[in-house]
Amino acid sequence: DTAVSQTPKYLVTQMGNDKSIKCEQNLGHDTMYWYKQDSKKFLKIMFSYNNKELIINETVPNRFSPKSPDKAHLNLHINSLELGDSAVYFCASSQGGARNSPLHFGNGTRLTVT
Amino acid sequence: KNEVEQSPQNLTAQEGEFITINCSYSVGISALHWLQQHPGGGIVSLFMLSSGKKKHGRLIATINIQEKHSSLHITASHPRDSAVYICAAFYGGSQGNLIFGKGTKLSVKP
């Protein structure tokens, strides 16, 4: 059983489109995250949710909107996609936050905007 | 400014060598994570520590709070250890944040 699964694995789309990436964890964790890894492989937090509530919202364009219908799911919706949004997006989860426990990552979604 | 610096950026080793990757950070961290990113892109958590030393198989992680420094050691390195190793420091309290280093790309040659 996959612990943190995100779909799709690859996403190729044109500028201006709206797309979503889904993430689900079956570990019973209370905290979920979205990270962005740029072309230089640098990871950066985008959002963090604890028990469905937004905890961290870094400086991310408001075209990015996370949604957590329950604590096992954290989806990422992106409006009006731009070339600069091309990156690998990782979902992750932990119990009690990264201060207290290790992160479990999904396999990533490679987004290419053309 | 909360920063995480890793060195070296790239590392090539022969199979069997002892490897050390270094990570330094600013004051005030609550925890430090070591992650491994496989060539295929997946990320795995290796260690989370706030003091002392942890060991798992051939991997050892240490942290020196006073010196604001952590190291990841790999003993008897093997080509399958080839990956990017990422250090990440947790700054802040309950609403704190992980700040990532830029990673160390390790290549172990047979």
Side-chain angles (χ1 to χ4, degrees), chain A residues 37 42 45 56 58 98 102-103, chain B residues 33 37 41 45 48 96-97 100:
Chain A
Q37 188 172 47
F42 189 56
I45 182 77
I56 295 171
E58 286 295 300
L103 269 61
Chain B
H33 296 247
Q37 185 165 25
S45 176
M48 190 199 77
N97 196 3
F100 293 85

Side-chain angles (χ1 to χ4, degrees), chain A residues 3-45:
Chain A
V4 181
S5 60
Q6 55 182 107
T7 55
K9 188 171 171 65
Y10 300 98
L11 187 51
V12 180
T13 189
Q14 291 184 327
M15 282 175 56
N17 284 349
D18 303 339
K19 290 292 178 186
S20 292
I21 307 172
K22 294 186 176 181
C23 180
E24 175 182 4
Q25 54 96 4
N26 63 6
L27 297 166
H29 288 165
D30 60 5
T31 308
M32 294 186 71
Y33 312 82
W34 278 110
Y35 291 97
K36 180 179 179 180
Q37 188 172 47
D38 62 23
S39 58
K40 295 182 179 177
K41 305 289 190 182
F42 189 56
L43 276 163
K44 193 168 181 184
I45 182 77

Side-chain angles (χ1 to χ4, degrees), chain A residues 47-86:
Chain A
F47 302 102
S48 169
Y49 269 70
N50 179 270
N51 285 318
K52 302 191 324 178
E53 293 198 12
L54 182 65
I55 300 297
I56 295 171
N57 182 355
E58 286 295 300
T59 308
V60 175
N62 58 14
R63 299 181 294 103
F64 289 80
S65 53
K67 286 193 171 45
S68 183
D70 55 61
K71 72 175 194 176
H73 295 83
L74 181 61
N75 303 322
L76 184 65
H77 189 76
I78 316 169
N79 289 327
S80 304
L81 278 154
E82 299 178 358
L83 292 176
D85 298 331
S86 295

Side-chain angles (χ1 to χ4, degrees), chain B residues 19-65:
Chain B
I19 287 161
T20 296
I21 298 170
N22 296 300
C23 175
S24 60
Y25 55 86
S26 306
V27 295
I29 74 164
S30 305
L32 190 119
H33 296 247
W34 281 101
L35 310 172
Q36 180 193 54
Q37 185 165 25
H38 302 297
I43 301 174
V44 174
S45 176
L46 297 175
F47 296 101
M48 190 199 77
L49 64 168
S50 55
S51 65
K53 176 179 172 178
K54 288 190 176 181
K55 185 174 188 291
H56 185 258
R58 295 180 294 106
L59 272 59
I60 303 166
T62 64
I63 188 167
N64 185 317
I65 302 295

